[in-house]
């Protein structure tokens, strides 16, 4: 069921919630969300989720799905609509920028693990619900 | 030099998620602990068959990561000092 994987990408834990693993879903959502936004708080939205500034880390951050897109959108809004003389105030510098990118990037990679786990659990459910041949019949192939 | 553990200074017009937080001194190292805790909790929540086993397993894994990282850091510092 790819729906579980898509939901897990959209919001951490949503795939597990959909599959009925409600307790695990809450744990995933709380821990990944708090860590991701802690990273954004350290670096600010303008510097943390940024496609050109952070290179490959951006790909890792995007695994946080909707939350990463929201942070990226907020950062783009600040970059475009805030006055030029205030831009420096909202830019993070070492080591805050590194800590922010590592927090958000690693949280994104953790959500990749959660997506894979949701897909694996949905596969197990699919196999368990498949009709089985009656007992005593010979198997082919 | 950092006189106190808490030496982060926030500007007067600080806005959460907008203004970056300047992290200095021991906070740079201490920021490892919450990240290690999240990694441990997510990993053990995936791997433990019974969810009630996850909290203790997560704490053990978190401690292992933190101690391991400090050990690696100490070893690299020792190598650096020997080669310098």
């Amino acid at each position: 069921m790819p729906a579980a994987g898509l939901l897990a990408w959209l919001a951490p834990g949503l795939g597990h919630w959909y599959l009925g693993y409600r307790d695990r879903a809450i744990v995933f959502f709380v821990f990944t969300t708090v860590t991701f936004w802690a990273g954004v708080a350290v670096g600010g939205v303008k510097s943390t989720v940024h496609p050109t500034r952070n290179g490959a880390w951006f790909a890792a951050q995007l695994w946080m799905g909707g939350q990463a897109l929201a942070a990226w959108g907020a950062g783009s809004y600040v970059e475009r609509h805030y006055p030029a003389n205030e831009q420096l105030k909202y830019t993070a510098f070492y080591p805050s920028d590194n800590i922010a990118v590592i927090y958000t990037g690693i949280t994104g990679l953790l959500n990749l693990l959660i997506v894979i786990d949701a897909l694996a659990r949905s596969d197990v459910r699919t196999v368990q619900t498949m009709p089985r041949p009656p007992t005593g019949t010979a198997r082919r192939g | 030099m950092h006189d106190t553990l808490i030496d982060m200074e926030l500007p007067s017009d600080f806005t959460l998620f907008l203004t970056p937080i300047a992290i200095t001194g021991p906070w740079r190292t201490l920021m490892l602990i919450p990240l290690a805790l999240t990694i441990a909790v997510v990993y053990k929540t995936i791997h433990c068959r019974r969810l009630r086993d996850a909290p203790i397993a997560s704490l053990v894994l978190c401690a292992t990561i933190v101690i391991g990282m400090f050990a690696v850091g100490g070893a690299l510092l020792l190598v650096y000092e020997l080669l310098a």
Side-chain angles (χ1 to χ4, degrees):
Chain A
M1 273 197 285
L6 188 67
L7 289 170
W9 173 79
L10 204 62
L14 195 58
H16 286 77
W17 185 278
Y18 171 71
L19 292 171
Y21 301 100
R22 302 271 161 107
D23 295 341
R24 285 174 205 267
I26 292 166
V27 172
F28 290 142
F29 182 79
V30 169
F31 275 86
T32 53
T33 301
V34 168
T35 309
F36 181 83
W37 289 102
V40 175
V42 168
V45 284
K46 182 173 172 271
S47 308
T48 306
V49 184
H50 198 284
T52 53
R53 200 181 149 110
N54 300 327
W57 280 107
F58 180 68
Q61 290 166 336
L62 281 183
W63 279 104
M64 270 303 280
Q67 296 182 48
L69 296 177
W72 183 18
S76 301
Y77 182 84
V78 171
E79 218 167 29
R80 285 182 196 157
H81 294 92
Y82 277 55
N85 61 343
E86 285 186 13
Q87 290 292 327
L88 195 64
K89 191 170 74 177
Y90 302 125
T91 306
F93 296 101
Y94 179 85
S96 298
D97 59 343
N98 281 9
I99 291 169
V101 168
I102 288 168
Y103 259 62
T104 50
I106 287 182
T107 315
L109 293 176
L110 285 174
N111 199 40
L112 173 59
L113 276 183
I114 295 168
V115 169
I116 292 168
D117 186 56
L119 288 171
R121 286 175 193 270
S122 69
D123 271 356
V124 168
R125 279 164 54 110
T126 308
V127 169
Q128 282 173 345
T129 53
M130 280 171 69
R132 296 179 182 186
T135 53
T137 55
R139 283 189 173 184
R140 291 181 196 169
Chain B
M1 286 292 290
H2 302 282
D3 296 332
T4 57
L5 187 66
I6 301 169
D7 56 357
M8 291 191 297
E9 287 184 15
L10 299 176
S12 55
D13 56 346
F14 174 78
T15 311
L16 188 64
F17 301 121
L18 193 60
T19 319
I21 300 170
I23 293 179
T24 55
W27 281 101
R28 288 187 295 181
T29 313
L30 292 175
M31 289 296 282
L32 170 68
I33 297 169
L35 185 63
L37 184 66
T38 299
I39 293 169
V41 167
V42 170
Y43 182 79
K44 285 298 175 185
T45 305
I46 288 172
H47 278 264
C48 286
R49 290 178 70 86
R50 291 181 309 171
L51 197 57
R52 73 179 80 130
D53 297 336
I56 300 292
S58 302
L59 287 176
V60 171
L61 181 60
C62 177
T64 308
I65 292 170
V66 172
I67 292 167
M69 291 298 280
F70 274 99
V72 169
L76 288 173
L77 183 66
L78 192 67
V79 170
Y80 172 78
E81 293 292 338
L82 288 173
L83 293 176

